[in-house]
Coordinates of all heavy atoms in Angstrom, one line a residue:
M30 N -222.8 -35.2 -142.1 CA -221.6 -36.1 -142.2 C -220.8 -35.7 -143.5 O -221.3 -35.2 -144.4 CB -221.9 -37.6 -142.2 CG -222.3 -38.1 -140.8 SD -222.1 -39.8 -140.8 CE -223.6 -40.4 -141.4
S31 N -219.6 -36.1 -143.5 CA -218.7 -35.9 -144.6 C -219.2 -36.8 -145.8 O -219.5 -37.9 -145.6 CB -217.3 -36.2 -144.3 OG -216.5 -36.1 -145.4
S32 N -219.2 -36.2 -147.0 CA -219.5 -36.9 -148.2 C -218.4 -37.7 -148.8 O -218.5 -38.3 -149.8 CB -220.2 -36.0 -149.2 OG -219.2 -35.0 -149.5
S33 N -217.2 -37.5 -148.1 CA -216.0 -38.2 -148.7 C -216.1 -39.7 -148.6 O -216.6 -40.2 -147.5 CB -214.8 -37.7 -147.9 OG -213.7 -38.4 -148.3
S34 N -215.7 -40.4 -149.6 CA -215.7 -41.8 -149.6 C -214.4 -42.4 -149.1 O -214.1 -43.5 -149.2 CB -216.1 -42.4 -151.0 OG -215.1 -41.9 -151.9
G35 N -213.6 -41.5 -148.5 CA -212.3 -42.0 -148.0 C -211.2 -42.0 -149.1 O -210.1 -42.5 -148.8
R36 N -211.5 -41.5 -150.2 CA -210.5 -41.6 -151.3 C -209.5 -40.5 -151.1 O -209.8 -39.3 -150.8 CB -211.2 -41.3 -152.6 CG -210.3 -41.6 -153.7 CD -211.0 -41.7 -155.1 NE -210.1 -42.0 -156.1 CZ -209.7 -43.3 -156.4 NH1 -210.3 -44.2 -155.7 NH2 -208.8 -43.5 -157.3
R37 N -208.2 -40.9 -151.2 CA -207.2 -39.9 -151.0 C -206.8 -39.2 -152.3 O -207.1 -39.7 -153.4 CB -205.9 -40.6 -150.5 CG -206.0 -41.2 -149.1 CD -205.1 -42.4 -148.9 NE -205.5 -43.5 -149.8 CZ -204.7 -44.5 -150.2 NH1 -203.5 -44.5 -149.8 NH2 -205.2 -45.4 -150.9
T38 N -206.3 -38.0 -152.2 CA -205.8 -37.3 -153.3 C -204.3 -37.5 -153.5 O -203.6 -37.2 -152.5 CB -206.1 -35.8 -153.2 OG1 -207.5 -35.6 -153.0 CG2 -205.6 -35.0 -154.4
P39 N -203.9 -38.0 -154.6 CA -202.5 -38.2 -154.8 C -201.7 -37.0 -154.7 O -202.1 -35.9 -155.2 CB -202.4 -38.9 -156.2 CG -203.7 -38.5 -156.8 CD -204.7 -38.3 -155.8
S40 N -200.5 -37.0 -154.1 CA -199.7 -35.9 -154.0 C -199.1 -35.6 -155.4 O -199.0 -36.5 -156.2 CB -198.6 -36.1 -153.0 OG -197.9 -37.3 -153.3
L41 N -198.6 -34.4 -155.6 CA -198.0 -34.1 -156.9 C -196.8 -34.8 -157.1 O -196.0 -35.1 -156.2 CB -197.8 -32.6 -156.9 CG -199.0 -31.7 -157.0 CD1 -198.7 -30.2 -157.0 CD2 -199.8 -32.0 -158.3
P42 N -196.5 -35.3 -158.3 CA -195.4 -36.1 -158.6 C -194.1 -35.3 -158.5 O -194.0 -34.1 -158.8 CB -195.6 -36.6 -160.0 CG -196.5 -35.5 -160.6 CD -197.4 -35.0 -159.5
I43 N -193.0 -36.0 -158.1 CA -191.7 -35.4 -158.1 C -190.9 -35.8 -159.3 O -190.2 -36.8 -159.3 CB -190.9 -35.8 -156.8 CG1 -191.8 -35.6 -155.6 CG2 -189.6 -35.1 -156.7 CD1 -191.2 -36.1 -154.3
C44 N -191.1 -35.2 -160.4 CA -190.5 -35.5 -161.6 C -190.6 -34.3 -162.6 O -191.4 -33.4 -162.3 CB -191.1 -36.7 -162.3 SG -192.8 -36.5 -162.8
P45 N -189.8 -34.3 -163.7 CA -189.9 -33.2 -164.6 C -191.3 -33.0 -165.1 O -192.1 -34.0 -165.4 CB -189.0 -33.7 -165.8 CG -188.0 -34.6 -165.1 CD -188.8 -35.3 -164.0
T46 N -191.7 -31.8 -165.3 CA -193.0 -31.4 -165.8 C -193.4 -32.1 -167.1 O -194.5 -32.5 -167.4 CB -193.2 -29.9 -166.0 OG1 -192.7 -29.3 -164.8 CG2 -194.6 -29.5 -166.1
S47 N -192.3 -32.4 -167.9 CA -192.6 -33.0 -169.2 C -193.0 -34.4 -169.1 O -193.5 -35.0 -170.0 CB -191.3 -32.9 -170.1 OG -190.2 -33.6 -169.4
Q48 N -192.8 -35.0 -167.9 CA -193.2 -36.4 -167.7 C -194.5 -36.5 -166.9 O -194.9 -37.6 -166.6 CB -192.1 -37.2 -167.0 CG -190.8 -37.2 -167.8 CD -189.7 -38.0 -167.1 OE1 -189.9 -38.5 -166.1 NE2 -188.6 -38.1 -167.8
V49 N -195.1 -35.4 -166.6 CA -196.3 -35.4 -165.9 C -197.5 -35.6 -166.8 O -197.6 -34.9 -167.9 CB -196.5 -34.2 -165.0 CG1 -197.8 -34.1 -164.4 CG2 -195.4 -34.1 -164.0
G50 N -198.4 -36.5 -166.5 CA -199.6 -36.6 -167.3 C -200.8 -36.9 -166.4 O -200.6 -37.1 -165.2
R51 N -201.9 -37.0 -166.9 CA -203.1 -37.3 -166.1 C -203.3 -38.8 -165.9 O -203.1 -39.6 -166.8 CB -204.4 -36.8 -166.9 CG -204.4 -35.3 -167.1 CD -204.8 -34.6 -165.8 NE -204.7 -33.1 -166.0 CZ -205.2 -32.3 -165.1 NH1 -205.7 -32.7 -164.0 NH2 -205.1 -31.0 -165.3
C52 N -203.6 -39.1 -164.6 CA -203.9 -40.5 -164.3 C -205.1 -41.0 -165.2 O -206.0 -40.3 -165.4 CB -204.3 -40.6 -162.8 SG -205.0 -42.2 -162.3
A53 N -205.0 -42.2 -165.6 CA -206.0 -42.8 -166.5 C -207.3 -42.9 -165.8 O -208.4 -43.1 -166.4 CB -205.5 -44.1 -167.1
V54 N -207.3 -43.0 -164.5 CA -208.6 -43.3 -163.7 C -209.1 -42.0 -163.1 O -210.3 -41.6 -163.3 CB -208.3 -44.3 -162.7 CG1 -209.6 -44.6 -161.8 CG2 -207.9 -45.6 -163.3
C55 N -208.3 -41.3 -162.3 CA -208.8 -40.2 -161.5 C -208.4 -38.8 -162.1 O -208.9 -37.8 -161.7 CB -208.4 -40.3 -160.1 SG -206.6 -40.0 -159.8
H56 N -207.6 -38.9 -163.1 CA -207.2 -37.7 -163.9 C -206.4 -36.7 -163.0 O -206.3 -35.5 -163.4 CB -208.5 -37.0 -164.5 CG -209.1 -37.9 -165.4 ND1 -210.4 -37.6 -165.9 CD2 -208.8 -39.0 -166.0 CE1 -210.8 -38.5 -166.8 NE2 -209.8 -39.4 -166.9
H57 N -205.8 -37.1 -161.9 CA -204.9 -36.2 -161.2 C -203.6 -36.3 -161.9 O -203.2 -37.3 -162.5 CB -204.8 -36.7 -159.8 CG -205.9 -36.2 -158.9 ND1 -206.0 -34.9 -158.4 CD2 -207.0 -36.8 -158.3 CE1 -207.0 -34.8 -157.6 NE2 -207.7 -35.9 -157.6
P58 N -202.8 -35.2 -161.8 CA -201.5 -35.2 -162.3 C -200.6 -36.2 -161.7 O -200.6 -36.4 -160.5 CB -201.0 -33.7 -162.0 CG -202.2 -32.9 -161.8 CD -203.2 -33.9 -161.2
T59 N -199.9 -37.0 -162.5 CA -199.0 -38.0 -161.9 C -197.8 -38.2 -162.8 O -197.8 -37.8 -164.0 CB -199.8 -39.3 -161.7 OG1 -199.0 -40.3 -161.0 CG2 -200.2 -39.9 -163.1
H60 N -196.8 -38.9 -162.3 CA -195.6 -39.2 -163.1 C -196.0 -40.3 -164.1 O -196.0 -41.4 -163.8 CB -194.5 -39.6 -162.2 CG -193.2 -39.9 -163.0 ND1 -192.1 -40.4 -162.3 CD2 -192.9 -39.7 -164.3 CE1 -191.1 -40.6 -163.3 NE2 -191.6 -40.2 -164.4
R61 N -196.3 -39.9 -165.3 CA -196.9 -40.8 -166.3 C -195.9 -41.3 -167.3 O -196.0 -42.4 -167.8 CB -198.1 -40.2 -166.9 CG -198.8 -41.1 -167.9 CD -200.2 -40.7 -168.2 NE -200.8 -41.7 -169.1 CZ -202.1 -41.7 -169.4 NH1 -202.9 -40.8 -168.9 NH2 -202.5 -42.6 -170.2
Y62 N -195.0 -40.4 -167.7 CA -194.2 -40.7 -168.9 C -192.7 -40.9 -168.4 O -192.3 -40.5 -167.3 CB -194.3 -39.6 -169.9 CG -195.7 -39.3 -170.3 CD1 -196.3 -38.1 -169.9 CD2 -196.4 -40.2 -171.1 CE1 -197.6 -37.8 -170.2 CE2 -197.7 -39.9 -171.4 CZ -198.3 -38.7 -171.0 OH -199.6 -38.4 -171.3
G63 N -191.9 -41.5 -169.3 CA -190.5 -41.6 -169.1 C -190.2 -42.7 -168.1 O -191.0 -43.5 -167.8
H64 N -188.9 -42.7 -167.6 CA -188.5 -43.7 -166.7 C -189.3 -43.7 -165.4 O -189.3 -42.6 -164.7 CB -187.0 -43.5 -166.4 CG -186.5 -44.6 -165.5 ND1 -186.3 -45.9 -165.9 CD2 -186.1 -44.5 -164.2 CE1 -185.8 -46.6 -164.9 NE2 -185.7 -45.8 -163.8
G65 N -189.8 -44.8 -165.0 CA -190.6 -44.9 -163.8 C -192.0 -44.3 -163.9 O -192.7 -44.3 -162.9
G66 N -192.4 -44.0 -165.1 CA -193.7 -43.4 -165.3 C -194.8 -44.5 -165.2 O -194.5 -45.7 -165.4
N67 N -196.0 -44.1 -164.9 CA -197.1 -45.1 -164.9 C -198.4 -44.4 -165.2 O -198.6 -43.3 -164.7 CB -197.2 -45.7 -163.5 CG -198.1 -47.0 -163.5 OD1 -199.3 -46.9 -163.7 ND2 -197.5 -48.1 -163.2
P68 N -199.2 -45.0 -166.0 CA -200.5 -44.3 -166.4 C -201.5 -44.1 -165.2 O -202.4 -43.4 -165.3 CB -201.1 -45.2 -167.5 CG -200.4 -46.5 -167.3 CD -199.1 -46.2 -166.7
L69 N -201.2 -44.8 -164.1 CA -202.0 -44.7 -163.0 C -201.3 -44.0 -161.9 O -200.1 -44.3 -161.7 CB -202.5 -46.1 -162.5 CG -203.4 -46.9 -163.4 CD1 -203.7 -48.2 -162.8 CD2 -204.6 -46.1 -163.8
C70 N -201.9 -43.2 -161.1 CA -201.3 -42.5 -160.0 C -201.2 -43.5 -158.8 O -201.8 -44.6 -158.9 CB -202.1 -41.3 -159.5 SG -203.7 -41.8 -158.7
P71 N -200.3 -43.3 -157.9 CA -200.1 -44.2 -156.8 C -201.4 -44.7 -156.1 O -201.5 -45.8 -155.7 CB -199.2 -43.4 -155.8 CG -198.5 -42.5 -156.7 CD -199.5 -42.1 -157.8
V72 N -202.3 -43.8 -155.9 CA -203.6 -44.1 -155.3 C -204.3 -45.1 -156.1 O -204.8 -46.1 -155.6 CB -204.4 -42.9 -155.0 CG1 -205.8 -43.2 -154.5 CG2 -203.7 -41.9 -154.1
C73 N -204.4 -44.9 -157.4 CA -205.2 -45.8 -158.2 C -204.5 -47.1 -158.4 O -205.1 -48.2 -158.5 CB -205.4 -45.2 -159.6 SG -206.6 -43.8 -159.5
R74 N -203.1 -47.1 -158.4 CA -202.4 -48.4 -158.4 C -202.6 -49.2 -157.2 O -202.8 -50.4 -157.3 CB -200.9 -48.0 -158.5 CG -200.5 -47.6 -159.9 CD -199.1 -47.1 -160.0 NE -198.2 -48.2 -159.7 CZ -196.9 -48.1 -159.5 NH1 -196.4 -46.9 -159.5 NH2 -196.1 -49.1 -159.3
A75 N -202.7 -48.5 -156.0 CA -203.0 -49.3 -154.8 C -204.4 -49.8 -154.9 O -204.6 -51.0 -154.4 CB -202.8 -48.3 -153.6
D76 N -205.3 -49.1 -155.4 CA -206.7 -49.6 -155.5 C -206.7 -50.8 -156.4 O -207.4 -51.8 -156.1 CB -207.6 -48.5 -156.1 CG -208.0 -47.5 -155.1 OD1 -207.7 -47.7 -153.9 OD2 -208.7 -46.5 -155.4
L77 N -206.0 -50.7 -157.5 CA -206.0 -51.8 -158.5 C -205.4 -53.1 -157.8 O -206.0 -54.2 -158.0 CB -205.2 -51.4 -159.7 CG -205.2 -52.4 -160.9 CD1 -206.6 -52.4 -161.4 CD2 -204.3 -52.0 -162.0
L78 N -204.3 -52.9 -157.1 CA -203.7 -54.0 -156.5 C -204.6 -54.7 -155.5 O -204.8 -55.9 -155.4 CB -202.4 -53.6 -155.8 CG -201.2 -53.4 -156.7 CD1 -200.0 -52.9 -155.9 CD2 -200.9 -54.7 -157.4
A79 N -205.3 -53.8 -154.7 CA -206.3 -54.3 -153.7 C -207.4 -55.1 -154.4 O -207.8 -56.1 -153.9 CB -206.8 -53.2 -152.9
T80 N -207.9 -54.5 -155.5 CA -208.9 -55.2 -156.2 C -208.5 -56.6 -156.7 O -209.2 -57.6 -156.6 CB -209.4 -54.3 -157.4 OG1 -209.8 -53.1 -156.9 CG2 -210.6 -55.0 -158.1
Q81 N -207.3 -56.6 -157.3 CA -206.8 -57.8 -157.8 C -206.6 -58.9 -156.8 O -206.9 -60.1 -156.9 CB -205.5 -57.6 -158.6 CG -205.7 -56.8 -159.9 CD -204.3 -56.5 -160.6 OE1 -203.3 -56.6 -159.9 NE2 -204.4 -56.2 -161.8
K82 N -206.1 -58.4 -155.6 CA -205.9 -59.3 -154.5 C -207.3 -59.9 -154.0 O -207.4 -61.1 -153.8 CB -205.3 -58.6 -153.3 CG -203.8 -58.7 -153.4 CD -203.2 -58.1 -152.1 CE -201.7 -58.2 -152.1 NZ -201.1 -57.6 -150.9
K83 N -208.3 -59.0 -154.0 CA -209.6 -59.4 -153.4 C -210.2 -60.5 -154.3 O -210.8 -61.4 -153.8 CB -210.5 -58.2 -153.3 CG -211.7 -58.4 -152.5 CD -212.6 -57.3 -152.5 CE -212.1 -56.0 -151.9 NZ -213.0 -54.9 -151.9
K84 N -210.1 -60.3 -155.6 CA -210.8 -61.2 -156.5 C -209.9 -62.2 -157.2 O -210.1 -62.6 -158.3 CB -211.7 -60.5 -157.5 CG -210.9 -59.7 -158.5 CD -211.9 -59.0 -159.5 CE -211.2 -58.4 -160.7 NZ -212.2 -57.8 -161.6
A85 N -208.8 -62.5 -156.5 CA -207.9 -63.5 -157.0 C -208.6 -64.8 -157.0 O -209.1 -65.3 -156.0 CB -206.6 -63.5 -156.1
T86 N -208.5 -65.4 -158.2 CA -209.2 -66.7 -158.3 C -208.2 -67.8 -158.5 O -207.5 -67.9 -159.6 CB -210.2 -66.7 -159.5 OG1 -209.4 -66.2 -160.7 CG2 -211.3 -65.8 -159.2
P87 N -208.0 -68.6 -157.5 CA -207.0 -69.7 -157.6 C -207.4 -70.8 -158.6 O -206.5 -71.5 -159.2 CB -206.9 -70.3 -156.2 CG -208.2 -69.9 -155.6 CD -208.7 -68.6 -156.2
A88 N -208.6 -71.0 -158.8 CA -209.1 -72.0 -159.7 C -209.1 -71.6 -161.1 O -209.5 -70.5 -161.4 CB -210.5 -72.5 -159.2
Q89 N -208.6 -72.4 -162.0 CA -208.7 -72.1 -163.4 C -209.4 -73.2 -164.2 O -209.2 -74.4 -163.8 CB -207.3 -71.8 -163.9 CG -206.3 -72.9 -163.6 CD -205.0 -72.6 -164.3 OE1 -204.7 -73.1 -165.3 NE2 -204.2 -71.7 -163.7
R90 N -210.1 -72.8 -165.2 CA -210.8 -73.8 -165.9 C -210.0 -74.7 -166.8 O -209.3 -74.2 -167.7 CB -211.9 -73.2 -166.7 CG -213.0 -72.6 -165.8 CD -214.2 -72.1 -166.6 NE -214.0 -70.7 -167.0 CZ -214.9 -70.1 -167.7 NH1 -216.0 -70.6 -168.1 NH2 -214.7 -68.8 -168.1
Ligands
ZN5 ZN1 -205.4 -42.0 -160.1

């Protein structure tokens, strides 16, 4: 069977090379700097959002 865990590989960013950096999580090249940049690639951002949604705690102490 495939050993893949279903993780997608982010596509290369469409931005100037000077604004490309490594994703903080998966280390794939992504649009990290400048306008619209993000330290996480789209895949990891989606993962983060999903995680936050899953463990959203409505109750606060
Ligand atoms: Zn990533």
Side-chain angles (χ1 to χ4, degrees):
M30 280 204 276
S31 173
S32 59
S33 171
S34 58
R36 188 167 185 87
R37 291 154 294 158
T38 301
S40 54
L41 288 175
I43 308 171
C44 67
T46 312
S47 60
Q48 296 183 359
V49 174
R51 295 282 176 171
C52 167
V54 176
C55 72
H56 298 167
H57 275 286
T59 188
H60 183 185
R61 181 162 184 169
Y62 310 106
H64 180 72
N67 194 294
L69 297 180
C70 70
V72 174
C73 290
R74 285 173 64 190
D76 278 359
L77 187 65
L78 282 176
T80 304
Q81 288 177 342
K82 269 187 181 178
K83 194 187 294 182
K84 66 178 190 181
T86 52
Q89 51 175 261
R90 291 189 273 181

